[in-house]
Amino acid sequence: MSTFSDHDMAPDHDVTIVGGGPVGLAAALALDAAGLSVSVLERAPGAVWAEPSFDGREIALTYHARALLERLGAWRHIPESVICPLNEARIETGRGNHPLIFEADRPAGIREAPLGWLVSNNMIRRALYAEAAERSGITLLPDVTVETVRQDTATAVVHCQGAQPRRMRTRLVIAADGRFSPTRRRAGIGAVIHDFERMMMVCRMAHDLPHHNVALQWFAEGQTIALLPVNGHASSLVLTLPPAEIQRLMHIEQDAFNAEVMERVGNRLGAMRLVSTRHAYPLKCVYAHRFAARRLALLGDAAVGMHPITAHGFNLGLRGAEVLAAEVAVAFSRGQDIGSAAVLHRFEKKHRAATMPLFAATNGIATLYTHDAAPFRLLRSLGLRVADALPPLKSAVTGMLMDRSPAA
Ligand SMILES: Cc1cc2nc3c(=O)[nH]c(=O)nc-3n(C[C@H](O)[C@H](O)[C@H](O)COP(=O)(O)OP(=O)(O)OC[C@H]3O[C@@H](n4cnc5c(N)ncnc54)[C@H](O)[C@@H]3O)c2cc1C
């Protein structure tokens, strides 16, 4: 009978990824491109995994994220008709107050460059899955729930439950199983979890007036609202409120819902009609104490689960996948151990440096905009004026939103 300390047993795959969400699939594609064999274990059934349904999220993609999705081969699976260029982002503290406007930082000679692109999460997931399914080096295993991961000096063994319980031996396990990652918890890695005690409701609304590809976000007493453009006369409504209010809005009848939304958005886009399912997300942000353990790396929301206000969770998740794959590829090409502590340490150091400042800044902004006491209201208004009056600050934020740094 084999034991977990059988050092000489060949691994089933070089890397095993727990969680086939967008970041897990992106990591699989990056590792496959470097010549490694990869398995991806996903608890959802195969049909749901391949064709995920609309989940309300519209993901704002930076230039860097788009370039990476192109390089990974996933972008070609996203139909042009569902990619919405974002020309401007406008932030307000209330109607009539001074808005802060972000426009693309256009290189000389380029007049039409957008600030970024909006694509719905399910279309991104679908595209990544379609590309992964075409790669012979990637084994996609649906309907599988990972129960335990055991590490020894040379390999790790993943035990799974599902239609066919199995155990798989690998050199490196990647936990990409979301912000409440069971794999992170079982590895004994703690996390800073910040509960904003708010929920976010997202859905698609058709409207009579054009949005001009402008994203609007404003802060009124007791609520934060964003309207994100999607192609056609439609926008994604993103409404942040206390949980009880969101629960009520999730269930009220459609005409009453439309009327309430129009009132909440101040009739900015004319008559509005709900044209999708409604989805609610609790606002809990997560930052793992460590991004690595023995033969284990954390990626995506399992490592850093951002507040959506700065639209960077997936962008940062993609970056983490890129950094980890690059470190693993170097070790692999040199015939070294791809799951060694040295490889994981280099990944952790780089990914922490890339994510910590943005995570802290995002939480600061989110806190400022979810409290309505007078000092917070004053700070909000002042914050927008100061940011507008300081071109270097505004340009730094624009640079962060667009992220034009080349994909590695
Ligand atoms: C409303 C909203 C708006 C957002 N907007 C933006 C935006 O504009 N820009 C941006 O960059 N980001 C945005 N984000 C964040 C982005 O959606 C997430 O960062 C991203 O989806 C995280 O991907 P992931 O693959 O790490 O995790 P997930 O998408 O959570 O995927 C985890 C996967 O793991 C699987 N799984 C879990 N446990 C197990 C197990 N034990 N065994 C097997 N499989 C398992 C799950 O089924 C799931 O498929 C937004 C988020 C929200 C909620």
Side-chain angles (χ1 to χ4, degrees):
M1 197 180 90
S2 60
T3 68
F4 298 136
S5 57
D6 287 341
H7 294 188
D8 53 348
M9 274 193 73
D12 299 297
H13 300 101
D14 294 316
V15 182
T16 293
I17 301 175
V18 184
V23 175
L25 288 170
L29 290 169
L31 290 163
D32 171 71
L36 289 106
S37 63
V38 189
S39 52
V40 188
L41 313 179
E42 167 58 44
R43 70 179 168 199
V48 175
W49 194 12
E51 297 281 331
S53 50
F54 180 72
D55 63 14
R57 305 183 204 191
E58 298 296 332
I59 305 292
L61 295 167
T62 63
Y63 279 73
H64 187 93
R66 176 178 172 159
L68 201 57
L69 290 171
E70 281 173 0
R71 216 187 58 202
L72 295 176
W75 190 258
R76 69 193 175 98
H77 297 284
I78 304 178
E80 196 72 38
S81 59
V82 303
I83 303 168
C84 183
L86 178 62
N87 290 343
E88 188 182 304
R90 201 182 158 94
I91 304 177
E92 300 173 4
T93 51
R95 231 168 177 182
N97 286 348
H98 193 76
L100 179 60
I101 295 172
F102 294 101
E103 288 175 300
D105 200 358
R106 292 180 180 117
I110 298 185
R111 288 168 59 202
E112 294 299 319
L115 202 51
W117 296 268
L118 283 153
V119 180
S120 54
N121 193 42
N122 67 321
M123 297 308 288
I124 295 173
R125 292 184 73 144
R126 195 175 291 200
L128 286 159
Y129 182 94
E131 183 61 22
E134 286 179 12
R135 303 280 184 97
S136 58
I138 301 179
T139 305
L140 297 173
L141 295 167
D143 248 328
V144 163
T145 300
V146 172
E147 294 276 296
T148 58
V149 178
R150 301 249 168 89
Q151 296 94 333
D152 61 32
T153 46
T155 56
V157 179
V158 179
H159 288 247
C160 320
Q161 289 303 324
Q164 294 171 305
R166 63 177 96 208
R167 55 180 243 168
M168 301 176 72
R169 192 172 286 272
T170 186
R171 297 254 179 249
L172 173 66
V173 177
I174 295 177
D177 46 357
R179 64 183 61 201
F180 303 111
S181 167
T183 310
R184 180 185 71 216
R185 187 169 36 77
R186 285 197 201 102
I189 302 178
V192 175
I193 300 183
H194 185 82
D195 185 349
F196 284 90
E197 295 174 353
R198 293 283 187 284
M199 284 187 91
M200 188 171 259
M201 192 202 63
V202 276
C203 61
R204 218 172 248 207
M205 306 289 298
H207 42 76
D208 287 351
L209 300 177
H211 51 50
H212 301 294
N213 293 63
V214 174
L216 276 167
Q217 173 139 0
W218 72 98
F219 307 92
E221 279 187 36
Q223 65 174 7
T224 303
I225 303 188
L227 286 168
L228 309 176
V230 295
N231 285 336
H233 274 208
S235 294
S236 170
L237 171 76
V238 186
L239 186 57
T240 305
L241 287 167
E245 278 290 278
I246 292 292
Q247 288 307 341
R248 182 184 62 76
L249 280 166
M250 287 291 290
H251 297 109
I252 60 169
E253 181 268 323
Q254 198 158 327
D255 286 344
F257 180 83
N258 292 342
E260 181 165 341
V261 168
M262 280 167 62
E263 197 189 323
R264 283 183 180 274
V265 305
N267 290 322
R268 283 166 189 247
L269 293 171
M272 297 182 95
R273 296 166 304 285
L274 179 67
V275 289
S276 76
T277 40
R278 295 169 248 189
H279 301 264
Y281 296 92
L283 286 178
K284 286 188 185 164
C285 305
V286 176
Y287 200 92
H289 292 161
R290 290 180 288 135
F291 293 169
R294 203 176 183 201
R295 297 202 172 276
L296 174 71
L298 306 186
L299 274 187
D301 280 12
V304 183
M306 298 275 289
H307 189 298
I309 200 167
T310 49
H312 258 61
F314 178 57
N315 289 303
L316 287 181
L318 271 182
R319 223 183 229 284
E322 181 186 20
V323 170
L324 179 62
E327 292 298 339
V328 167
V330 169
F332 185 66
S333 67
R334 292 178 182 160
Q336 297 167 346
D337 180 1
I338 59 164
S340 72
V343 168
L344 296 177
H345 177 69
R346 283 194 294 273
F347 153 68
E348 168 148 31
K349 200 169 158 206
K350 287 183 183 168
H351 197 41
R352 197 168 282 281
T355 53
M356 180 55 101
L358 199 52
F359 182 79
T362 300
N363 277 5
I365 294 168
T367 303
L368 189 58
Y369 288 101
T370 40
H371 290 81
D372 282 321
F376 287 101
R377 289 208 307 272
L378 184 65
L379 270 174
R380 300 208 269 262
S381 175
L382 273 176
L384 293 196
R385 278 173 193 281
V386 168
D388 206 30
L390 288 175
L393 175 62
K394 208 170 146 183
S395 157
V397 176
T398 306
M400 182 273 290
L401 289 175
M402 295 177 74
D403 189 3
R404 283 185 189 271
S405 58

